[in-house]
Amino acid sequence: MWLTLLYSCTGGAALLYALYRWVIPAAVQYHGGLALIWHDVIVERMLDTLTQSTRPQRLLGAVQKNATRGDPRSVVQAIDQFCRQKEWAMNVGDEKGCILDSVVSEVNPATVLELGTYCGYSTVRIASRLPPHAKLITLEFNPDFAVVARQVIAWAGVEDKVHLVEGASGDWIPKMTEQFGVKTFDLVFLDHWKDRYLPDTKLMEECGLLRKGSILLADNVICPGTPDYLEYVRSSARYESQYFKSHLEYTKVEDGLEKSVFLG
């Protein structure tokens, strides 16, 4: 009787582990809504409870364990490995990250604004490709994320090029010139709350932070999606836009980046 019960418990545990580790992740790979619910709600909350830590803290641990201090590329690789093999996270990801890299290299910006730091993954990718004396200002609303991001940025050795600011984008955008001496941004990377893409873009226009030739690069324009922002930059005579098709970070769900050149 006890042996049968033991076998049943062992078999049940194995089945649950298989569902958690392989079956469900494979099933949600092609469905954006289900993928986000599974990875960003169910799994994250479960692991937070079991480990008494947060996903950003676990990601930081992976960086400190597997990345070489002062090597931005190894930090990016450690995070990508963590997100593909251990636990999904809402970075721009390796696939779209290559598109981000190419845009940064093409623009060669002296001034960059990043809206949405999270754990500093895209901040490290951008900063590592900036020319000497360039300035990257990254805004993060969540103070807990900011604590982790600062450590990731420092581990990558790019903190001298990065100014991380905590607070709401709507509060900080009007203060950019006064607080940081930035007249206009050469490149803006939008990767924060999706319902803030459009109002923050209009706010940057109003504050004169965009010059002719400034580039906006927006992530997650398909999944979760930013329909109002896309309609605006694609229909406005003030922008020339191009869509780069890709996938939602670490999945097979269609997503992409929208590159919009401000025409003045």
Side-chain angles (χ1 to χ4, degrees):
M1 174 182 173
W2 290 108
L3 194 58
T4 302
L5 182 60
L6 178 62
Y7 285 149
S8 297
C9 291
T10 303
L15 177 59
L16 288 174
Y17 181 78
L19 286 170
Y20 160 75
R21 190 69 180 84
W22 297 293
V23 178
I24 296 178
V28 303
Q29 274 285 299
Y30 296 89
H31 192 290
L34 293 178
L36 290 173
I37 290 172
W38 171 250
H39 292 295
D40 217 21
V41 179
I42 298 173
V43 172
E44 182 172 14
R45 291 179 181 176
M46 178 183 68
L47 291 178
D48 286 356
T49 301
L50 290 174
T51 65
Q52 292 298 294
S53 65
T54 67
R55 174 175 287 168
Q57 290 169 342
R58 295 188 291 274
L59 184 149
L60 173 62
V63 168
Q64 294 172 334
K65 179 180 179 181
N66 300 308
T68 302
R69 188 186 289 271
D71 183 352
R73 180 176 295 183
S74 75
V75 170
V76 168
Q77 290 175 342
I79 295 174
D80 285 332
Q81 183 179 38
F82 172 81
C83 294
R84 285 202 175 275
Q85 299 179 4
K86 300 291 185 180
E87 188 178 349
W88 183 93
M90 57 180 180
N91 313 300
V92 68
D94 46 5
E95 187 179 353
K96 287 184 294 181
C98 290
I99 300 172
L100 173 62
D101 293 348
S102 65
V103 172
V104 174
S105 297
E106 172 195 344
V107 177
N108 195 34
T111 53
V112 183
L113 175 62
E114 178 184 40
L115 300 178
T117 315
Y118 188 43
C119 295
Y121 174 91
S122 53
T123 311
V124 170
R125 292 195 82 125
I126 295 170
S128 66
R129 285 166 173 78
L130 292 180
H133 312 299
K135 180 182 295 186
L136 166 57
I137 299 171
T138 181
L139 301 185
E140 177 51 54
F141 179 77
N142 188 313
D144 295 327
F145 294 169
V147 168
V148 169
R150 283 194 176 90
Q151 295 177 77
V152 170
I153 292 165
W155 197 274
V158 295
E159 67 270 31
D160 58 323
K161 293 183 179 179
V162 177
H163 193 130
L164 194 160
V165 181
E166 294 179 37
S169 54
D171 294 335
W172 274 104
I173 287 173
K175 302 176 183 178
M176 285 293 151
T177 300
E178 176 187 352
Q179 295 290 325
F180 306 107
V182 176
K183 294 182 178 179
T184 59
F185 287 102
D186 299 325
L187 174 64
V188 179
F189 182 51
L190 298 94
D191 195 19
H192 57 328
W193 295 108
K194 309 314 163 191
D195 60 358
R196 290 298 310 174
Y197 280 26
L198 182 55
D200 283 347
T201 295
K202 291 182 176 180
L203 185 57
M204 286 186 285
E205 293 173 2
E206 294 169 8
C207 294
L209 292 172
L210 303 179
R211 59 162 178 80
K212 184 177 180 180
S214 290
I215 289 178
L216 306 182
L217 187 66
D219 188 23
N220 301 127
V221 295
I222 303 300
C223 183
T226 57
D228 58 342
Y229 173 81
L230 282 184
E231 181 181 2
Y232 179 71
V233 294
R234 290 176 177 179
S235 62
S236 173
R238 306 188 75 181
Y239 292 93
E240 183 179 279
S241 283
Q242 179 182 5
Y243 173 62
F244 291 87
K245 183 178 179 180
S246 186
H247 297 93
L248 177 68
E249 40 267 33
Y250 315 112
T251 75
K252 299 298 183 182
V253 177
E254 182 183 343
D255 190 21
L257 298 164
E258 187 81 3
K259 175 187 174 186
S260 304
V261 182
F262 186 66
L263 304 178

